[in-house]
Amino acid sequence: MCDTVKGRRYRVRYRENGVLVGWEVHVGTTKTHERRSVPYPERLAPLIDVACAGKAPDGLLFGNGHTHMKNEWDERGWFATASRRAQAIDPSIRRAHDP
């Protein structure tokens, strides 16, 4: 969530968990069913500020603030699919995470 706490400690608060099942994100409570906060180093504050810009305090930190993002590295994800299509045209193209 874009509800951050700044000062001596930098923390991001969250209250829900998204799990990818097949290609659908199922949203529920956290593992302990309680709201939590996660600390982050001060050096990340500018990046988190940019990620939260224009989003409501209860908006999602990553993506557009409303839609849960899917793991792009999943073999069924958009990036992997695009990589396979590009490799079909030009086999010399490597995927980003290939050695």
Side-chain angles (χ1 to χ4, degrees):
M1 302 290 169
C2 282
D3 178 18
T4 59
V5 178
K6 296 181 181 167
R8 293 184 64 199
R9 296 183 182 153
Y10 289 77
R11 301 182 78 81
V12 173
R13 296 180 181 150
Y14 71 99
R15 65 172 182 247
E16 63 185 21
N17 181 42
V19 177
L20 191 62
V21 178
W23 194 236
E24 185 177 333
V25 176
H26 293 262
V27 179
T29 62
T30 64
K31 187 167 41 174
T32 61
H33 308 288
E34 296 177 4
R35 293 179 182 203
R36 298 186 196 183
S37 67
V38 177
Y40 62 91
E42 183 178 355
R43 69 180 181 272
L44 293 181
L47 299 172
I48 291 176
D49 288 344
V50 168
C52 288
K55 297 177 184 172
D58 63 344
L60 298 171
L61 177 60
F62 300 106
N64 65 11
H66 304 287
T67 306
H68 288 82
M69 294 178 64
K70 296 178 174 86
N71 184 353
E72 65 187 49
W73 295 108
D74 186 290
E75 287 302 312
R76 295 164 293 171
W78 69 267
F79 184 80
T81 301
S83 295
R84 283 193 300 275
R85 288 179 180 163
Q87 287 171 329
I89 296 167
D90 182 352
S92 69
I93 296 174
R94 294 184 350 183
R95 291 180 14 183
H97 59 278
D98 285 346

